[in-house]
Amino acid sequence: MSTFEPVWGPVIAGYLFLAGLGAGAFLFAFILELKFPQAVKMRRFAHILTPVAVALGLVLLLADAPGALHNPLRILLLFSNLQSVMTWGVYFLIIFFAVSAFVMIIELKKDYILPRSLNIIGVIAAFCVALYTGVLLGVCKTFPLWNNALLPILFLVSALSAGAAALLLYAALFAPAELKGITGLRKLQYLLPVIELVLLASLLFITFYNSSAGAASVLMLVTGSWSPWFWVGLVFCGLLLHLIVETKPLFFSAGGAASHGALARYTDVGLNALALCGGFLLRLLIVMAAMPLAIAV
Amino acid sequence: MARYGMLIDTKVCIGCYSCLLSCKRQNGLASDQDFIRFEDRERGSYPNTLRESIPLQCMQCEDAPCVSVCPSGASYFGPDGLVSIDHGKCIGCRYCMSACPYQVRTFDEEKGIADKCRFCAIQTLSGGKGCSCVEACLTNARIVGDLDDPTSELSRAIAQKNALPIAGDLTQAKIFYVR
Ligand code: SF4
Ligand code: SF4
């Protein structure tokens, strides 16, 4: 057991992360459009980021499939087995990429008018893509850490988190003026790591009691070789830090996120960059720490 | 149509790895690629303990996760329901390797594709000679045959020795173990 080598590695984790990031950015662009129409630059950035992230994700998927790299024609076969979750995922990603690329073109034109129907299709595709990244792993009975229904939801919430972080990072760097009117959005963003922590804790508890392989996976994360990354990288920098820093300005200061000074801006840059890293780290840890069921018991 | 399966008697298996080595030779595998892997362990509690060697290889699942997850259709049910890999279709995504609960698929680094036991041992049933695991086994721990033929040596041995798939009905495996 201890000699088990993970089947996948950082490249697939990157693919899962970028697909989620694209989905999250698109969903937040939708929220911006509905509730914060004045944040034009952020929305524009989200609409440009989405197809780029999705395309990069697909490139990573292929980069990790040497059989297809050596024989590019085999890429066409990716569409063939409708029983395969990976096949659905490729369909979702292609549809999502097409829609979001179209939206990007509209965004880049002078007069921006995005048909509501197109936006809705994009939103549905974004949900499918984000959930798919969890289902892809979830159907593998081999690994108790993956083989459960919490994982797709955790990945969905983490995708939203990554999307929000990317937008706020951009705004803090390049459009600080837009940060003023979006306290509501920040409160929404604040909720995400809370939900993620609850889901992550549930996932780990349930997996721990699932089987010896489940317990081994959880221990690898919380006390084993991945534990520094898990506690410092994911739990502290990726999730908790956001709550520690943002609770007071968002909920307990008179003006509600009142300070817009240089310090607040740097805090935003740091926090959101860390949240993005945390999103990638979540995928990486889940991919790397999964231990296989013991077959001959 | 035959429904091929195998019996592996771990009570007589001495863990000598002859099957593993003969398989490597038969299939011309690279040094880091094995179609058979062993789980060696101790069972029971003192003083009634025994050391068990369990050779694992593709179980020829009837409900094969590798086939359902393979996006390209490279993993498929071939003639006689044998799970095979079409090397010309495999994109090397390794989804099958994650989905196979028995962890018996390997990766051919050179070609960039997945591979596994090809169940070549059935050649012995038609009088063919090779160096398959069944032929190489020193203690005759392995029997290959047709599960649908109740008179086959395999079917009789399974009934007599009460052999079972290694992980219950997890995937409707067609390799039966005596433990
Ligand atoms: S044992 Fe693994 S490789 Fe063989 S058929 Fe079953 S799932 Fe596929
Ligand atoms: S590695 Fe090859 S055989 Fe395995 S799932 Fe991918 S395409 Fe199918």
mmCIF file with all atom_site columns, all heavy atoms in Angstrom, chain B residues 154-177:
data_model
loop_
_atom_site.group_PDB
_atom_site.id
_atom_site.type_symbol
_atom_site.label_atom_id
_atom_site.label_alt_id
_atom_site.label_comp_id
_atom_site.label_asym_id
_atom_site.label_entity_id
_atom_site.label_seq_id
_atom_site.pdbx_PDB_ins_code
_atom_site.Cartn_x
_atom_site.Cartn_y
_atom_site.Cartn_z
_atom_site.occupancy
_atom_site.B_iso_or_equiv
_atom_site.pdbx_formal_charge
_atom_site.auth_seq_id
_atom_site.auth_comp_id
_atom_site.auth_asym_id
_atom_site.auth_atom_id
_atom_site.pdbx_PDB_model_num
ATOM 1   N N   . LEU B 1 154 ? -11.895 -25.965 -14.928 1.00 0.00 ? 154 LEU B N   1
ATOM 2   C CA  . LEU B 1 154 ? -12.041 -24.725 -14.162 1.00 0.00 ? 154 LEU B CA  1
ATOM 3   C C   . LEU B 1 154 ? -13.334 -24.732 -13.343 1.00 0.00 ? 154 LEU B C   1
ATOM 4   O O   . LEU B 1 154 ? -13.325 -24.517 -12.139 1.00 0.00 ? 154 LEU B O   1
ATOM 5   C CB  . LEU B 1 154 ? -12.028 -23.526 -15.122 1.00 0.00 ? 154 LEU B CB  1
ATOM 6   C CG  . LEU B 1 154 ? -12.306 -22.176 -14.470 1.00 0.00 ? 154 LEU B CG  1
ATOM 7   C CD1 . LEU B 1 154 ? -11.174 -21.778 -13.549 1.00 0.00 ? 154 LEU B CD1 1
ATOM 8   C CD2 . LEU B 1 154 ? -12.538 -21.101 -15.523 1.00 0.00 ? 154 LEU B CD2 1
ATOM 9   N N   . SER B 1 155 ? -14.450 -24.995 -14.004 1.00 0.00 ? 155 SER B N   1
ATOM 10  C CA  . SER B 1 155 ? -15.736 -24.948 -13.310 1.00 0.00 ? 155 SER B CA  1
ATOM 11  C C   . SER B 1 155 ? -15.768 -25.946 -12.168 1.00 0.00 ? 155 SER B C   1
ATOM 12  O O   . SER B 1 155 ? -16.276 -25.654 -11.077 1.00 0.00 ? 155 SER B O   1
ATOM 13  C CB  . SER B 1 155 ? -16.880 -25.251 -14.283 1.00 0.00 ? 155 SER B CB  1
ATOM 14  O OG  . SER B 1 155 ? -16.907 -24.291 -15.302 1.00 0.00 ? 155 SER B OG  1
ATOM 15  N N   . ARG B 1 156 ? -15.219 -27.144 -12.422 1.00 0.00 ? 156 ARG B N   1
ATOM 16  C CA  . ARG B 1 156 ? -15.240 -28.160 -11.368 1.00 0.00 ? 156 ARG B CA  1
ATOM 17  C C   . ARG B 1 156 ? -14.381 -27.731 -10.183 1.00 0.00 ? 156 ARG B C   1
ATOM 18  O O   . ARG B 1 156 ? -14.780 -27.864 -9.034  1.00 0.00 ? 156 ARG B O   1
ATOM 19  C CB  . ARG B 1 156 ? -14.806 -29.516 -11.926 1.00 0.00 ? 156 ARG B CB  1
ATOM 20  C CG  . ARG B 1 156 ? -15.965 -30.209 -12.685 1.00 0.00 ? 156 ARG B CG  1
ATOM 21  C CD  . ARG B 1 156 ? -15.594 -31.584 -13.176 1.00 0.00 ? 156 ARG B CD  1
ATOM 22  N NE  . ARG B 1 156 ? -14.672 -31.500 -14.312 1.00 0.00 ? 156 ARG B NE  1
ATOM 23  C CZ  . ARG B 1 156 ? -13.510 -32.146 -14.382 1.00 0.00 ? 156 ARG B CZ  1
ATOM 24  N NH1 . ARG B 1 156 ? -13.121 -32.903 -13.378 1.00 0.00 ? 156 ARG B NH1 1
ATOM 25  N NH2 . ARG B 1 156 ? -12.758 -32.034 -15.442 1.00 0.00 ? 156 ARG B NH2 1
ATOM 26  N N   . ALA B 1 157 ? -13.228 -27.165 -10.494 1.00 0.00 ? 157 ALA B N   1
ATOM 27  C CA  . ALA B 1 157 ? -12.329 -26.742 -9.409  1.00 0.00 ? 157 ALA B CA  1
ATOM 28  C C   . ALA B 1 157 ? -12.953 -25.610 -8.601  1.00 0.00 ? 157 ALA B C   1
ATOM 29  O O   . ALA B 1 157 ? -12.839 -25.563 -7.376  1.00 0.00 ? 157 ALA B O   1
ATOM 30  C CB  . ALA B 1 157 ? -10.987 -26.313 -9.979  1.00 0.00 ? 157 ALA B CB  1
ATOM 31  N N   . ILE B 1 158 ? -13.624 -24.687 -9.290  1.00 0.00 ? 158 ILE B N   1
ATOM 32  C CA  . ILE B 1 158 ? -14.258 -23.563 -8.576  1.00 0.00 ? 158 ILE B CA  1
ATOM 33  C C   . ILE B 1 158 ? -15.304 -24.094 -7.603  1.00 0.00 ? 158 ILE B C   1
ATOM 34  O O   . ILE B 1 158 ? -15.362 -23.694 -6.434  1.00 0.00 ? 158 ILE B O   1
ATOM 35  C CB  . ILE B 1 158 ? -14.887 -22.562 -9.573  1.00 0.00 ? 158 ILE B CB  1
ATOM 36  C CG1 . ILE B 1 158 ? -13.796 -21.808 -10.334 1.00 0.00 ? 158 ILE B CG1 1
ATOM 37  C CG2 . ILE B 1 158 ? -15.791 -21.574 -8.836  1.00 0.00 ? 158 ILE B CG2 1
ATOM 38  C CD1 . ILE B 1 158 ? -14.308 -20.863 -11.389 1.00 0.00 ? 158 ILE B CD1 1
ATOM 39  N N   . ALA B 1 159 ? -16.115 -25.062 -8.090  1.00 0.00 ? 159 ALA B N   1
ATOM 40  C CA  . ALA B 1 159 ? -17.166 -25.620 -7.241  1.00 0.00 ? 159 ALA B CA  1
ATOM 41  C C   . ALA B 1 159 ? -16.566 -26.381 -6.071  1.00 0.00 ? 159 ALA B C   1
ATOM 42  O O   . ALA B 1 159 ? -16.961 -26.202 -4.912  1.00 0.00 ? 159 ALA B O   1
ATOM 43  C CB  . ALA B 1 159 ? -18.074 -26.521 -8.072  1.00 0.00 ? 159 ALA B CB  1
ATOM 44  N N   . GLN B 1 160 ? -15.573 -27.211 -6.395  1.00 0.00 ? 160 GLN B N   1
ATOM 45  C CA  . GLN B 1 160 ? -14.977 -28.071 -5.382  1.00 0.00 ? 160 GLN B CA  1
ATOM 46  C C   . GLN B 1 160 ? -14.264 -27.266 -4.296  1.00 0.00 ? 160 GLN B C   1
ATOM 47  O O   . GLN B 1 160 ? -14.384 -27.539 -3.112  1.00 0.00 ? 160 GLN B O   1
ATOM 48  C CB  . GLN B 1 160 ? -13.974 -28.963 -6.105  1.00 0.00 ? 160 GLN B CB  1
ATOM 49  C CG  . GLN B 1 160 ? -13.636 -30.223 -5.397  1.00 0.00 ? 160 GLN B CG  1
ATOM 50  C CD  . GLN B 1 160 ? -12.585 -30.973 -6.208  1.00 0.00 ? 160 GLN B CD  1
ATOM 51  O OE1 . GLN B 1 160 ? -11.801 -30.379 -6.950  1.00 0.00 ? 160 GLN B OE1 1
ATOM 52  N NE2 . GLN B 1 160 ? -12.570 -32.286 -6.079  1.00 0.00 ? 160 GLN B NE2 1
ATOM 53  N N   . LYS B 1 161 ? -13.510 -26.265 -4.726  1.00 0.00 ? 161 LYS B N   1
ATOM 54  C CA  . LYS B 1 161 ? -12.687 -25.514 -3.764  1.00 0.00 ? 161 LYS B CA  1
ATOM 55  C C   . LYS B 1 161 ? -13.394 -24.270 -3.251  1.00 0.00 ? 161 LYS B C   1
ATOM 56  O O   . LYS B 1 161 ? -12.812 -23.489 -2.505  1.00 0.00 ? 161 LYS B O   1
ATOM 57  C CB  . LYS B 1 161 ? -11.364 -25.113 -4.427  1.00 0.00 ? 161 LYS B CB  1
ATOM 58  C CG  . LYS B 1 161 ? -10.534 -26.292 -4.863  1.00 0.00 ? 161 LYS B CG  1
ATOM 59  C CD  . LYS B 1 161 ? -9.205  -25.827 -5.429  1.00 0.00 ? 161 LYS B CD  1
ATOM 60  C CE  . LYS B 1 161 ? -8.312  -27.021 -5.708  1.00 0.00 ? 161 LYS B CE  1
ATOM 61  N NZ  . LYS B 1 161 ? -7.011  -26.633 -6.254  1.00 0.00 ? 161 LYS B NZ  1
ATOM 62  N N   . ASN B 1 162 ? -14.624 -24.069 -3.703  1.00 0.00 ? 162 ASN B N   1
ATOM 63  C CA  . ASN B 1 162 ? -15.390 -22.923 -3.236  1.00 0.00 ? 162 ASN B CA  1
ATOM 64  C C   . ASN B 1 162 ? -14.653 -21.607 -3.484  1.00 0.00 ? 162 ASN B C   1
ATOM 65  O O   . ASN B 1 162 ? -14.514 -20.773 -2.601  1.00 0.00 ? 162 ASN B O   1
ATOM 66  C CB  . ASN B 1 162 ? -15.695 -23.105 -1.747  1.00 0.00 ? 162 ASN B CB  1
ATOM 67  C CG  . ASN B 1 162 ? -16.850 -22.251 -1.322  1.00 0.00 ? 162 ASN B CG  1
ATOM 68  O OD1 . ASN B 1 162 ? -17.555 -21.696 -2.182  1.00 0.00 ? 162 ASN B OD1 1
ATOM 69  N ND2 . ASN B 1 162 ? -17.049 -22.115 -0.022  1.00 0.00 ? 162 ASN B ND2 1
ATOM 70  N N   . ALA B 1 163 ? -14.161 -21.465 -4.699  1.00 0.00 ? 163 ALA B N   1
ATOM 71  C CA  . ALA B 1 163 ? -13.378 -20.273 -5.038  1.00 0.00 ? 163 ALA B CA  1
ATOM 72  C C   . ALA B 1 163 ? -14.298 -19.089 -5.303  1.00 0.00 ? 163 ALA B C   1
ATOM 73  O O   . ALA B 1 163 ? -15.406 -19.247 -5.819  1.00 0.00 ? 163 ALA B O   1
ATOM 74  C CB  . ALA B 1 163 ? -12.529 -20.549 -6.274  1.00 0.00 ? 163 ALA B CB  1
ATOM 75  N N   . LEU B 1 164 ? -13.828 -17.898 -4.950  1.00 0.00 ? 164 LEU B N   1
ATOM 76  C CA  . LEU B 1 164 ? -14.639 -16.678 -5.092  1.00 0.00 ? 164 LEU B CA  1
ATOM 77  C C   . LEU B 1 164 ? -13.809 -15.546 -5.682  1.00 0.00 ? 164 LEU B C   1
ATOM 78  O O   . LEU B 1 164 ? -12.590 -15.530 -5.527  1.00 0.00 ? 164 LEU B O   1
ATOM 79  C CB  . LEU B 1 164 ? -15.127 -16.237 -3.704  1.00 0.00 ? 164 LEU B CB  1
ATOM 80  C CG  . LEU B 1 164 ? -16.111 -17.152 -2.993  1.00 0.00 ? 164 LEU B CG  1
ATOM 81  C CD1 . LEU B 1 164 ? -16.253 -16.738 -1.544  1.00 0.00 ? 164 LEU B CD1 1
ATOM 82  C CD2 . LEU B 1 164 ? -17.456 -17.127 -3.714  1.00 0.00 ? 164 LEU B CD2 1
ATOM 83  N N   . PRO B 1 165 ? -14.477 -14.602 -6.334  1.00 0.00 ? 165 PRO B N   1
ATOM 84  C CA  . PRO B 1 165 ? -13.737 -13.414 -6.786  1.00 0.00 ? 165 PRO B CA  1
ATOM 85  C C   . PRO B 1 165 ? -13.094 -12.719 -5.589  1.00 0.00 ? 165 PRO B C   1
ATOM 86  O O   . PRO B 1 165 ? -13.618 -12.796 -4.471  1.00 0.00 ? 165 PRO B O   1
ATOM 87  C CB  . PRO B 1 165 ? -14.814 -12.529 -7.411  1.00 0.00 ? 165 PRO B CB  1
ATOM 88  C CG  . PRO B 1 165 ? -15.915 -13.464 -7.781  1.00 0.00 ? 165 PRO B CG  1
ATOM 89  C CD  . PRO B 1 165 ? -15.884 -14.555 -6.752  1.00 0.00 ? 165 PRO B CD  1
ATOM 90  N N   . ILE B 1 166 ? -11.994 -12.032 -5.824  1.00 0.00 ? 166 ILE B N   1
ATOM 91  C CA  . ILE B 1 166 ? -11.201 -11.509 -4.713  1.00 0.00 ? 166 ILE B CA  1
ATOM 92  C C   . ILE B 1 166 ? -11.948 -10.437 -3.916  1.00 0.00 ? 166 ILE B C   1
ATOM 93  O O   . ILE B 1 166 ? -11.744 -10.300 -2.722  1.00 0.00 ? 166 ILE B O   1
ATOM 94  C CB  . ILE B 1 166 ? -9.849  -10.959 -5.234  1.00 0.00 ? 166 ILE B CB  1
ATOM 95  C CG1 . ILE B 1 166 ? -8.854  -10.806 -4.096  1.00 0.00 ? 166 ILE B CG1 1
ATOM 96  C CG2 . ILE B 1 166 ? -10.012 -9.656  -5.972  1.00 0.00 ? 166 ILE B CG2 1
ATOM 97  C CD1 . ILE B 1 166 ? -8.197  -12.047 -3.676  1.00 0.00 ? 166 ILE B CD1 1
ATOM 98  N N   . ALA B 1 167 ? -12.827 -9.692  -4.583  1.00 0.00 ? 167 ALA B N   1
ATOM 99  C CA  . ALA B 1 167 ? -13.509 -8.604  -3.868  1.00 0.00 ? 167 ALA B CA  1
ATOM 100 C C   . ALA B 1 167 ? -15.019 -8.747  -3.973  1.00 0.00 ? 167 ALA B C   1
ATOM 101 O O   . ALA B 1 167 ? -15.731 -7.789  -4.271  1.00 0.00 ? 167 ALA B O   1
ATOM 102 C CB  . ALA B 1 167 ? -13.052 -7.260  -4.397  1.00 0.00 ? 167 ALA B CB  1
ATOM 103 N N   . GLY B 1 168 ? -15.516 -9.940  -3.750  1.00 0.00 ? 168 GLY B N   1
ATOM 104 C CA  . GLY B 1 168 ? -16.955 -10.162 -3.792  1.00 0.00 ? 168 GLY B CA  1
ATOM 105 C C   . GLY B 1 168 ? -17.535 -9.812  -5.150  1.00 0.00 ? 168 GLY B C   1
ATOM 106 O O   . GLY B 1 168 ? -16.924 -10.074 -6.180  1.00 0.00 ? 168 GLY B O   1
ATOM 107 N N   . ASP B 1 169 ? -18.697 -9.168  -5.146  1.00 0.00 ? 169 ASP B N   1
ATOM 108 C CA  . ASP B 1 169 ? -19.320 -8.874  -6.439  1.00 0.00 ? 169 ASP B CA  1
ATOM 109 C C   . ASP B 1 169 ? -19.019 -7.440  -6.901  1.00 0.00 ? 169 ASP B C   1
ATOM 110 O O   . ASP B 1 169 ? -19.775 -6.847  -7.647  1.00 0.00 ? 169 ASP B O   1
ATOM 111 C CB  . ASP B 1 169 ? -20.824 -9.106  -6.368  1.00 0.00 ? 169 ASP B CB  1
ATOM 112 C CG  . ASP B 1 169 ? -21.467 -8.294  -5.263  1.00 0.00 ? 169 ASP B CG  1
ATOM 113 O OD1 . ASP B 1 169 ? -20.725 -7.531  -4.604  1.00 0.00 ? 169 ASP B OD1 1
ATOM 114 O OD2 . ASP B 1 169 ? -22.675 -8.411  -5.051  1.00 0.00 ? 169 ASP B OD2 1
ATOM 115 N N   . LEU B 1 170 ? -17.894 -6.918  -6.466  1.00 0.00 ? 170 LEU B N   1
ATOM 116 C CA  . LEU B 1 170 ? -17.521 -5.536  -6.785  1.00 0.00 ? 170 LEU B CA  1
ATOM 117 C C   . LEU B 1 170 ? -17.663 -5.217  -8.271  1.00 0.00 ? 170 LEU B C   1
ATOM 118 O O   . LEU B 1 170 ? -18.227 -4.183  -8.629  1.00 0.00 ? 170 LEU B O   1
ATOM 119 C CB  . LEU B 1 170 ? -16.081 -5.282  -6.322  1.00 0.00 ? 170 LEU B CB  1
ATOM 120 C CG  . LEU B 1 170 ? -15.510 -3.874  -6.492  1.00 0.00 ? 170 LEU B CG  1
ATOM 121 C CD1 . LEU B 1 170 ? -16.287 -2.868  -5.675  1.00 0.00 ? 170 LEU B CD1 1
ATOM 122 C CD2 . LEU B 1 170 ? -14.039 -3.826  -6.091  1.00 0.00 ? 170 LEU B CD2 1
ATOM 123 N N   . THR B 1 171 ? -17.159 -6.089  -9.125  1.00 0.00 ? 171 THR B N   1
ATOM 124 C CA  . THR B 1 171 ? -17.212 -5.799  -10.571 1.00 0.00 ? 171 THR B CA  1
ATOM 125 C C   . THR B 1 171 ? -17.544 -7.039  -11.397 1.00 0.00 ? 171 THR B C   1
ATOM 126 O O   . THR B 1 171 ? -17.255 -7.073  -12.580 1.00 0.00 ? 171 THR B O   1
ATOM 127 C CB  . THR B 1 171 ? -15.854 -5.275  -11.066 1.00 0.00 ? 171 THR B CB  1
ATOM 128 O OG1 . THR B 1 171 ? -14.861 -6.271  -10.742 1.00 0.00 ? 171 THR B OG1 1
ATOM 129 C CG2 . THR B 1 171 ? -15.472 -3.960  -10.426 1.00 0.00 ? 171 THR B CG2 1
ATOM 130 N N   . GLN B 1 172 ? -18.133 -8.065  -10.774 1.00 0.00 ? 172 GLN B N   1
ATOM 131 C CA  . GLN B 1 172 ? -18.404 -9.328  -11.481 1.00 0.00 ? 172 GLN B CA  1
ATOM 132 C C   . GLN B 1 172 ? -17.134 -9.879  -12.113 1.00 0.00 ? 172 GLN B C   1
ATOM 133 O O   . GLN B 1 172 ? -17.090 -10.162 -13.308 1.00 0.00 ? 172 GLN B O   1
ATOM 134 C CB  . GLN B 1 172 ? -19.474 -9.123  -12.577 1.00 0.00 ? 172 GLN B CB  1
ATOM 135 C CG  . GLN B 1 172 ? -20.722 -8.417  -12.127 1.00 0.00 ? 172 GLN B CG  1
ATOM 136 C CD  . GLN B 1 172 ? -21.535 -9.274  -11.172 1.00 0.00 ? 172 GLN B CD  1
ATOM 137 O OE1 . GLN B 1 172 ? -21.444 -10.488 -11.164 1.00 0.00 ? 172 GLN B OE1 1
ATOM 138 N NE2 . GLN B 1 172 ? -22.295 -8.625  -10.308 1.00 0.00 ? 172 GLN B NE2 1
ATOM 139 N N   . ALA B 1 173 ? -16.110 -10.022 -11.288 1.00 0.00 ? 173 ALA B N   1
ATOM 140 C CA  . ALA B 1 173 ? -14.813 -10.482 -11.788 1.00 0.00 ? 173 ALA B CA  1
ATOM 141 C C   . ALA B 1 173 ? -14.872 -11.954 -12.189 1.00 0.00 ? 173 ALA B C   1
ATOM 142 O O   . ALA B 1 173 ? -15.640 -12.722 -11.627 1.00 0.00 ? 173 ALA B O   1
ATOM 143 C CB  . ALA B 1 173 ? -13.752 -10.272 -10.717 1.00 0.00 ? 173 ALA B CB  1
ATOM 144 N N   . LYS B 1 174 ? -14.040 -12.332 -13.171 1.00 0.00 ? 174 LYS B N   1
ATOM 145 C CA  . LYS B 1 174 ? -14.035 -13.709 -13.644 1.00 0.00 ? 174 LYS B CA  1
ATOM 146 C C   . LYS B 1 174 ? -12.770 -14.466 -13.245 1.00 0.00 ? 174 LYS B C   1
ATOM 147 O O   . LYS B 1 174 ? -12.491 -15.523 -13.776 1.00 0.00 ? 174 LYS B O   1
ATOM 148 C CB  . LYS B 1 174 ? -14.244 -13.737 -15.164 1.00 0.00 ? 174 LYS B CB  1
ATOM 149 C CG  . LYS B 1 174 ? -15.704 -13.406 -15.528 1.00 0.00 ? 174 LYS B CG  1
ATOM 150 C CD  . LYS B 1 174 ? -15.989 -13.613 -16.992 1.00 0.00 ? 174 LYS B CD  1
ATOM 151 C CE  . LYS B 1 174 ? -15.269 -12.579 -17.814 1.00 0.00 ? 174 LYS B CE  1
ATOM 152 N NZ  . LYS B 1 174 ? -15.801 -12.426 -19.174 1.00 0.00 ? 174 LYS B NZ  1
ATOM 153 N N   . ILE B 1 175 ? -11.996 -13.872 -12.338 1.00 0.00 ? 175 ILE B N   1
ATOM 154 C CA  . ILE B 1 175 ? -10.901 -14.646 -11.753 1.00 0.00 ? 175 ILE B CA  1
ATOM 155 C C   . ILE B 1 175 ? -11.317 -15.030 -10.350 1.00 0.00 ? 175 ILE B C   1
ATOM 156 O O   . ILE B 1 175 ? -11.761 -14.175 -9.568  1.00 0.00 ? 175 ILE B O   1
ATOM 157 C CB  . ILE B 1 175 ? -9.582  -13.856 -11.761 1.00 0.00 ? 175 ILE B CB  1
ATOM 158 C CG1 . ILE B 1 175 ? -9.196  -13.594 -13.214 1.00 0.00 ? 175 ILE B CG1 1
ATOM 159 C CG2 . ILE B 1 175 ? -8.497  -14.627 -11.023 1.00 0.00 ? 175 ILE B CG2 1
ATOM 160 C CD1 . ILE B 1 175 ? -7.757  -13.336 -13.475 1.00 0.00 ? 175 ILE B CD1 1
ATOM 161 N N   . PHE B 1 176 ? -11.226 -16.315 -10.057 1.00 0.00 ? 176 PHE B N   1
ATOM 162 C CA  . PHE B 1 176 ? -11.702 -16.844 -8.775  1.00 0.00 ? 176 PHE B CA  1
ATOM 163 C C   . PHE B 1 176 ? -10.525 -17.266 -7.924  1.00 0.00 ? 176 PHE B C   1
ATOM 164 O O   . PHE B 1 176 ? -9.577  -17.866 -8.421  1.00 0.00 ? 176 PHE B O   1
ATOM 165 C CB  . PHE B 1 176 ? -12.653 -18.027 -9.023  1.00 0.00 ? 176 PHE B CB  1
ATOM 166 C CG  . PHE B 1 176 ? -13.944 -17.604 -9.663  1.00 0.00 ? 176 PHE B CG  1
ATOM 167 C CD1 . PHE B 1 176 ? -13.997 -17.294 -11.021 1.00 0.00 ? 176 PHE B CD1 1
ATOM 168 C CD2 . PHE B 1 176 ? -15.106 -17.488 -8.919  1.00 0.00 ? 176 PHE B CD2 1
ATOM 169 C CE1 . PHE B 1 176 ? -15.177 -16.873 -11.607 1.00 0.00 ? 176 PHE B CE1 1
ATOM 170 C CE2 . PHE B 1 176 ? -16.296 -17.069 -9.499  1.00 0.00 ? 176 PHE B CE2 1
ATOM 171 C CZ  . PHE B 1 176 ? -16.331 -16.758 -10.841 1.00 0.00 ? 176 PHE B CZ  1
ATOM 172 N N   . TYR B 1 177 ? -10.621 -16.952 -6.640  1.00 0.00 ? 177 TYR B N   1
ATOM 173 C CA  . TYR B 1 177 ? -9.502  -17.221 -5.736  1.00 0.00 ? 177 TYR B CA  1
ATOM 174 C C   . TYR B 1 177 ? -9.877  -18.235 -4.675  1.00 0.00 ? 177 TYR B C   1
ATOM 175 O O   . TYR B 1 177 ? -10.979 -18.207 -4.135  1.00 0.00 ? 177 TYR B O   1
ATOM 176 C CB  . TYR B 1 177 ? -9.065  -15.929 -5.041  1.00 0.00 ? 177 TYR B CB  1
ATOM 177 C CG  . TYR B 1 177 ? -8.277  -15.009 -5.958  1.00 0.00 ? 177 TYR B CG  1
ATOM 178 C CD1 . TYR B 1 177 ? -8.925  -14.177 -6.856  1.00 0.00 ? 177 TYR B CD1 1
ATOM 179 C CD2 . TYR B 1 177 ? -6.895  -14.995 -5.927  1.00 0.00 ? 177 TYR B CD2 1
ATOM 180 C CE1 . TYR B 1 177 ? -8.218  -13.344 -7.707  1.00 0.00 ? 177 TYR B CE1 1
ATOM 181 C CE2 . TYR B 1 177 ? -6.165  -14.166 -6.768  1.00 0.00 ? 177 TYR B CE2 1
ATOM 182 C CZ  . TYR B 1 177 ? -6.830  -13.345 -7.651  1.00 0.00 ? 177 TYR B CZ  1
ATOM 183 O OH  . TYR B 1 177 ? -6.122  -12.536 -8.485  1.00 0.00 ? 177 TYR B OH  1
#
